[in-house]
Amino acid sequence: MATLDVKLFYLAFIFYFGGFIVFSLYVPFRKDGVYRFATALMALGLVPQTVAIIVRWATSEHVPLSNMYEYMSLMSWMAVLILLLLIWRYKRPLMGSFISPLVFMLMVTASMLPKQVSQMLMPALQSYWITIHVTLAALGSGAFAVACAVSFIYLMKVHKGSDDDGIVRSSLLWWLFTFLCFPLILHLILVIMGVNPPSVMVINILGGQYGNSGSLAISLGIGLPVGALLLSLLYNKRIGKADDSRFGSNLFAVTASSLLLAGLISGLLNKAGIFTITERSPLRIFEFFGVILVLLWPIFFLNFWFVNRMKQKVIDKIDFNPELLDEINYKAIALGYPLYTIGALFAGAIWAEQAWGSFWSWDPKEVGALIIWLFYSGFLHARYNRQWKGSKAAILSVFGFLMVILSFFGNYFFGGQHAYT
Amino acid sequence: MKFAIIVLVILAIVSVASLFIGEFYPVTAGGPGWQEYWQQELGISKPLFKVLTFFQLHDPYRSWWYRLLLGFLSLSLFVCIIDKLPTIIKEIRRDKFKDTEALQRLKLYSSFSTDKSSEELIKRLPSLFRFRSEESENGKRLYGQRGVISHLGQTFNHTGLLCLVLGGLFTSWLGFSTSVSGLPGDILSDPALDFTVRVDSFNIEYYPLGLGQYVLVDDAFIGRIIKRLDDERFLLETMSESGELANLSVERERLRNQYNINMDSGNISDYIAVLTIIEDGEEIATRRVEVNHPMRYKGFRFYQTSFDSNNPLVNANIDSALVVIKRLDDEALVDTVALSMDGKYQLPDGSLLTLTRFLPDFRLIDGEAMSASGHLLNPAVLLQVQKGNEDLYHQWSFLRSTFHHTDPEARYNFVLLEIFGFTSQVTYPTILEVKKTPGYFLVWLGFILSTIGLGLSFYFTPQRLWLVIRQDKGQSEVLMGGISRKNKALFAQKFDNWVKRLQEG
């Protein structure tokens, strides 16, 4: 019973999925025909997706950017467009093999979100500033997504694969400590202290319901950002310094990509009703993080094993100049940053002034956008003034995109003026 | 520079922390009863509370130390702009021509010989560059540039940001904000305003039947419009009692749109108020204020943000009411009469019964009877019993329910059986935000400057090319070098292409 635009969206989804599969096949089978076919599939997908956006525009009688599905769809559209431009301009088809999975993940995310068309925008949303605001913010985020994908390749690529086993072992132990032991110790401390965060998270598996498991989930959830911070510290202090072995960058890329995948899967599980989180609680975001952390463990080790198996066979044979990847990372951010600044911050503020009377009201989403903006501003300054390039720039780019995703889903966790679905 | 980064990092950390502080405390600081809530419910002791309020941790974004941080940020932005400006100017004016040695030291450098003349070579140079040439003893020297204006981008951008921060600070210090509410005919005033504003009219506009809208079908069940089949029929999505979704085609006349103001607020398309500004008893101007279209007067802005759904002015009427009259002592039926509004009926004891008021949604608010909405949710009539000119007693009679009298004067009991000819008209008070934003133009200047700056910085790339062409026996010896501030790998690719184009036929 899907409407025409949703059917077209799924058509594009199938094309992108095909493109992602064929681009993956290009990694082992380096035939020009393979990548041409994959590129063609991506380009073919762009057509129904563009038509879907236009159809939705016509049926809803306003620019289709009033809910999260529409936003995510435009973001993936932008990422595909940049992917095609990069392949055309740099003639490096392998870029597609790394960007298309991310595009596919964005499409899966979009497909999970409610897609009902509404012709009725609340009065405050009827302004052309919102069109500028949301379009530019979505396009900017799409560019950040590409920068993140390119950074993943860079981080895999610079890792020479000649690691001292000791470093690998101690890093993995540190990983286990930050993401497994630390959250559990935190939980133990909370239990001993008698602190029991109020939580009514429910897990439904195999017909059974396991309620009130949330306070553990909250400890695990707090462990996720803290673990990420500790891992970055490790990277900075120990592994990043050992120049001959770039194992840290490898570990970071595997962790971050596993985190994206775990987030996506936990979203799907939540959508399927496997677990539900406490309503209207400030801690609910940590319950969600807790689920992501639990999923992160198996995904990380599978991913780690897979990447290191593929390392010598595939990644080392990629004929990329790391400097070019670094430049594309910078270029994608340099393309997205002005769009994001003008769209998410300036146009949003102008619109808020017209609708509610103040440019800035410290709404949770505004704070999120501000922090993302500060982060990317920091990235650009560090690059310009301190020559932060290569691994450092790639890691910042990945972090930035994780923040974009977090802020996108912040709509579900924080209230405020941006609480649309 | 370091100072600016420290300030920015502190700002980022504080902002994230404040996000959670706001989420944890359900009672908004500054709202009614927040101090008691913090002290009693959250168990915060008096001294700690004093510390918290000193640092304004309940509302960090508006605290003095947050403003101080923003002040430091402005200062470092200002220092940065002044500090960088000479370098930028020097960069724009920098070495126009390079001699052979300087050219050879460039990272991107190439030399070759060709049989083409220097005129022909100049024609083949990339057209996006503006070239100047001069003759020297070593041959013809050429210098070309594009996008050098890009260097000024950061100055524009930083000045814009400075304007934004200062505009925000001005507004938070000297700004003024209040909320006023009133029905049509009311005159709104505030001590801060030296004029008053009369509400001439206030209308809530609704969307016509459209996609995604919830509608009431046959006054029986709710559906959501998912498709317009033709001019008269809609496809609705409904839910059966077992919770399954089903589609249903329904004619237009069976649908009701504005069935409940609180439930269907998603159907509201606009709030429109017409306001007249009155100063010293004189009407200055009449303006239409809509959402997203504020009114401006004397530095104040009036924003139509919402309406007060809790205090509607309900103008409801009925033609007549059917009332059952019973004696109070033995419950014996006296009569069943149809009373029109203000219509009278002579009771057996000689007193007169009058129907004086009707309320469709009876509610007692502060001891006063009023209608909470314009819908028949709790219909009631006021029945007055008089003898001569003296009021004996009155009774609110609710539809089909018996009322137990406690009034000693009461001799009869009245039951409202039916009402006829119900009409209602509801007017809501408008809610207007009144604001004074002293930093308004500064903020706009900031947006414009920053946008120009971002455009210059990111969509222009300063690139320079130098050439030395020496003519020797019909052959040209060419030395070529270039510098790009950004996109170095791509520029190198292009540079190779340019060299090839100069060399080849």
Side-chain angles (χ1 to χ4, degrees), chain B residues 36-315:
Chain B
E36 293 74 21
Y37 181 86
W38 278 47
Q39 286 182 13
Q40 288 158 19
E41 298 289 319
L42 302 177
I44 292 170
S45 62
K46 260 251 155 77
L48 181 62
F49 183 77
K50 275 206 171 129
V51 174
L52 285 180
T53 42
F54 176 71
F55 286 106
Q56 284 168 275
L57 280 185
H58 52 276
D59 191 12
Y61 300 124
R62 287 167 192 85
S63 63
W64 56 267
W65 52 268
Y66 203 86
R67 285 178 191 175
L68 197 69
L69 279 176
L70 288 177
F72 283 142
L73 183 68
S74 316
L75 196 70
S76 63
L77 268 171
F78 184 71
V79 170
C80 174
I81 295 164
I82 299 299
D83 189 43
K84 288 268 169 74
L85 204 55
T87 336
I88 291 167
I89 292 169
K90 220 167 101 189
E91 186 77 20
I92 290 173
R93 295 184 157 175
R94 208 174 57 167
D95 37 20
K96 296 294 181 201
F97 293 98
K98 275 193 196 297
D99 55 24
T100 317
E101 288 83 54
L103 224 165
Q104 281 165 340
R105 278 199 301 271
L106 291 173
K107 253 192 185 170
L108 269 182
Y109 165 74
S110 174
S111 69
F112 54 90
S113 312
T114 164
D115 52 2
K116 287 187 250 332
S117 68
S118 61
E119 286 73 32
E120 206 179 329
L121 285 170
I122 289 169
K123 264 187 215 158
R124 284 165 180 261
L125 286 171
S127 57
L128 286 169
F129 285 78
R130 291 217 324 269
F131 279 97
R132 270 188 260 164
S133 62
E134 64 168 25
E135 296 294 339
S136 73
E137 58 229 61
N138 282 333
K140 204 180 182 73
R141 294 206 291 189
L142 283 143
Y143 162 73
Q145 63 175 38
R146 63 177 291 211
V148 235
I149 190 79
S150 170
H151 288 296
L152 271 178
Q154 55 161 300
T155 312
F156 272 94
N157 198 0
H158 287 157
T159 313
L161 291 177
L162 183 63
C163 289
L164 287 177
V165 175
L166 289 179
L169 280 174
F170 275 151
T171 305
S172 73
W173 261 317
L174 308 165
F176 164 81
S177 168
T178 187
S179 170
V180 290
S181 164
L183 282 160
D186 288 357
I187 289 179
L188 311 173
S189 61
D190 190 274
L193 308 179
D194 58 354
F195 57 92
T196 57
V197 170
R198 188 182 65 219
V199 182
D200 292 336
S201 70
F202 175 59
N203 286 310
I204 300 173
E205 299 215 328
Y206 293 86
Y207 281 104
L209 293 173
L211 295 189
Q213 184 173 343
Y214 287 105
V215 284
L216 191 63
V217 188
D218 300 335
D219 289 346
F221 59 94
I222 294 171
R224 188 181 158 101
I225 299 178
I226 54 171
K227 200 172 182 182
R228 189 178 295 169
L229 293 171
D230 51 50
D231 279 353
E232 284 309 307
R233 284 177 320 129
F234 291 94
L235 190 66
L236 303 189
E237 187 182 73
T238 59
M239 194 174 267
S240 69
E241 276 172 22
S242 57
E244 277 161 43
L245 289 174
N247 285 3
L248 188 72
S249 152
V250 180
E251 293 76 38
R252 178 187 281 270
E253 61 250 29
R254 287 170 64 195
L255 305 181
R256 264 217 290 150
N257 177 12
Q258 297 161 30
Y259 57 91
N260 184 335
I261 195 78
N262 295 319
M263 271 176 79
D264 70 349
S265 57
N267 294 354
I268 293 173
S269 72
D270 204 357
Y271 309 120
I272 302 164
V274 176
L275 306 175
T276 298
I277 300 160
I278 301 170
E279 197 170 358
D280 302 327
E282 247 180 276
E283 292 189 6
I284 306 285
T286 301
R287 306 252 176 86
R288 187 183 151 98
V289 182
E290 272 176 69
V291 181
N292 280 321
H293 299 279
M295 168 177 92
R296 284 148 210 225
Y297 184 69
K298 276 195 157 177
F300 289 95
R301 281 162 226 276
F302 289 76
Y303 299 86
Q304 174 60 61
T305 50
S306 184
F307 69 101
D308 187 356
S309 61
N310 295 323
N311 297 301
L313 178 71
V314 180
N315 189 0

Side-chain angles (χ1 to χ4, degrees), chain A residues 140-249:
Chain A
S141 309
F144 293 154
V146 173
C148 168
V150 173
S151 300
F152 277 137
I153 329 178
Y154 182 91
L155 291 173
M156 302 282 185
K157 184 71 192 152
V158 292
H159 166 43
K160 295 280 186 299
S162 57
D163 287 304
D164 167 359
D165 276 350
I167 287 184
V168 176
R169 216 173 300 125
S170 65
S171 313
L172 285 178
L173 278 176
W174 183 253
W175 195 95
L176 274 175
F177 172 74
T178 54
F179 286 115
L180 183 68
C181 301
F182 171 76
L184 292 174
I185 292 169
L186 183 72
H187 183 62
L188 208 65
I189 293 170
L190 287 179
V191 167
I192 290 167
M193 283 171 66
V195 180
N196 193 20
S199 164
V200 285
M201 182 172 160
V202 177
I203 298 172
N204 311 293
I205 305 173
L206 304 168
Q209 262 201 358
Y210 306 90
N212 223 354
S213 43
S215 82
L216 175 64
I218 288 174
S219 312
L220 294 180
I222 294 171
L224 185 71
V226 177
L229 221 65
L230 289 177
L231 195 71
S232 317
L233 273 181
L234 163 88
Y235 177 77
N236 204 22
K237 286 277 162 227
R238 290 197 44 212
I239 298 163
K241 292 242 169 89
D243 260 353
D244 50 333
S245 153
R246 303 295 192 92
F247 182 70
S249 57

